[in-house]
């Protein structure tokens, strides 16, 4: 990656509304929030990842994710975050 190029962070209210239409990735509850998955390469101090990195989580699991972190959360609930991201994005593309 060219060190002089600034990465583009994609933001879309319409996409986040799309994410919120899906049930919680853990429990299936239908009142969800769009949780942004942070990785070392898509965020930084005080910077939220682009909206393409969002999955649906209910309030309880959203809070717990923040408290536990990705590794412990995935292990506890046996949820594949990457599969969730792909499924949501694929559904978005197919329905455009």
């Amino acid at each position: 990656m060219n060190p002089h190029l600034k990465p583009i962070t994609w933001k879309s209210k319409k996409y986040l509304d799309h994410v919120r239409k899906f049930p919680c990735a853990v429990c299936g509850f239908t009142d969800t929030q769009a949780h942004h998955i942070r990785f070392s390469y898509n965020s930084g101090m005080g910077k939220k990842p682009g909206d393409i990195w969002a999955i649906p989580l209910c309030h309880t699991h959203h809070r717990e994710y923040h408290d536990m972190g990705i590794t412990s959360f995935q292990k506890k609930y046996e949820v594949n975050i990457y599969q969730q991201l792909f499924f949501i994005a694929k559904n978005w593309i197919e329905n455009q």
Side-chain angles (χ1 to χ4, degrees):
M1 180 175 194
N2 185 330
H4 303 290
L5 295 177
K6 188 175 181 179
I8 298 170
T9 303
W10 184 66
K11 299 288 184 187
S12 170
K13 181 184 178 324
K14 190 174 175 183
Y15 186 78
L16 292 180
D17 289 343
H18 172 74
V19 172
R20 290 183 199 103
K21 289 179 186 174
F22 289 89
C24 176
V26 176
C27 68
F29 190 64
T30 56
D31 184 14
T32 59
Q33 303 169 348
H35 171 72
H36 290 80
I37 306 298
R38 294 176 189 267
F39 301 101
S40 59
Y41 54 85
N42 75 353
S43 64
M45 189 74 132
K47 182 181 172 208
K48 187 182 281 189
D51 292 340
I52 197 69
W53 296 101
I55 65 168
L57 292 177
C58 67
H59 176 75
T60 301
H61 287 115
H62 192 165
R63 181 74 267 142
E64 187 175 16
Y65 184 102
H66 281 286
D67 294 341
M68 296 177 78
I70 188 170
T71 305
S72 298
F73 189 83
Q74 285 189 118
K75 189 179 285 187
K76 179 178 180 179
Y77 292 110
E78 297 179 353
V79 60
N80 185 327
I81 299 295
Y82 306 100
Q83 187 178 41
Q84 290 291 320
L85 289 167
F86 176 80
F87 175 77
I88 300 290
K90 179 180 178 287
N91 186 277
W92 168 262
I93 291 165
E94 290 173 346
N95 290 296
Q96 290 301 301

